[in-house]
Amino acid sequence: LGTGNVGIGTDSPDVDLHIQDTVLDNVYTKLQATGSMNAAGTQFRLENLGDSGTTTSIGCSIVFENHGDRSVGAIASHISSTNKDTSILSFWTHDSDSDAKERMRIDHAGRVGIGTTNPAVALDVTSTDAIIVAKGTTGERPTAESGMIRFNTTSSVFEAYNGTSWIGFGDTIDSDGDTFVTAESGTD
């Protein structure tokens, strides 16, 4: 093999390992271990053994492409600084108007950022849109754990579990204290 490319299903491989099949629903790769398992189990590994020096973008990625050469999404790993121990895993998607953009990131500390590349807390959602929290009736409350937040559709109130009981926090006073806002039950 030497320095040449390897092709399976093609006579003209254009990368190191090129697998091609003409039946669209039949292209897959299978990794199977049949012996005794150790702690690592079966792995599919992408390794970049190059020296990053002062580069902060070295890493590996899985790129998803549709027909042609336009990527529709990717999962990428890279380092966030010249310290090789500060890795990031990022998720990219493509819309019809632009190139692929990073949509979500898990940083080296395990913080998840959606709409931000620098999550400050465990889950950091940065958007001008909104998030939908879990909702359900009083009877549908989950097994409670301190810090849970949900919207109670029976009482039309946001509620949280404080470690002892569910408490409502649907009533709000604005910042200057002259307007009181409360959730209504029923519909208008």
Side-chain angles (χ1 to χ4, degrees):
L1 295 175
T3 60
N5 296 334
V6 175
I8 300 174
T10 178
D11 293 330
S12 55
D14 58 4
V15 293
D16 294 337
L17 175 60
H18 185 159
I19 302 172
Q20 179 176 315
D21 196 321
T22 58
V23 181
L24 294 179
D25 62 353
N26 195 35
V27 179
Y28 64 92
T29 302
K30 182 177 184 178
L31 303 174
Q32 182 177 20
T34 58
S36 298
M37 292 295 213
N38 61 21
T42 302
Q43 297 181 8
F44 176 76
R45 294 180 72 123
L46 300 174
E47 291 187 7
N48 186 336
L49 300 177
D51 183 8
S52 67
T54 59
T55 304
T56 59
S57 60
I58 193 168
C60 298
S61 62
I62 300 171
V63 178
F64 305 93
E65 291 187 5
N66 61 3
H67 57 85
D69 60 358
R70 182 174 182 189
S71 65
V72 294
I75 302 171
S77 68
H78 51 98
I79 57 174
S80 60
S81 71
T82 55
N83 176 354
K84 295 177 184 174
D85 295 327
T86 57
S87 62
I88 292 171
L89 186 62
S90 57
F91 299 81
W92 299 66
T93 62
H94 195 292
D95 62 29
S96 60
D97 298 328
S98 64
D99 291 332
K101 292 182 180 174
E102 183 176 337
R103 308 298 181 172
M104 185 174 82
R105 170 179 292 211
I106 303 172
D107 75 5
H108 68 281
R111 295 178 294 239
V112 176
I114 300 174
T116 179
T117 58
N118 191 23
V121 293
L123 176 60
D124 188 341
V125 179
T126 303
S127 174
T128 58
D129 197 6
I131 59 171
I132 297 176
V133 297
K135 58 186 171 189
T137 66
T138 301
E140 296 171 325
R141 285 178 175 153
T143 301
E145 298 227 4
S146 293
M148 286 184 165
I149 298 174
R150 68 189 296 270
F151 183 78
N152 187 316
T153 57
T154 302
S155 59
S156 295
V157 170
F158 286 98
E159 61 184 8
Y161 191 74
N162 67 4
T164 306
S165 62
W166 288 96
I167 57 170
F169 60 96
D171 298 337
T172 307
I173 299 175
D174 72 350
S175 61
D176 62 3
D178 64 358
T179 305
F180 183 72
V181 181
T182 186
E184 292 181 351
S185 58
T187 59
D188 290 336

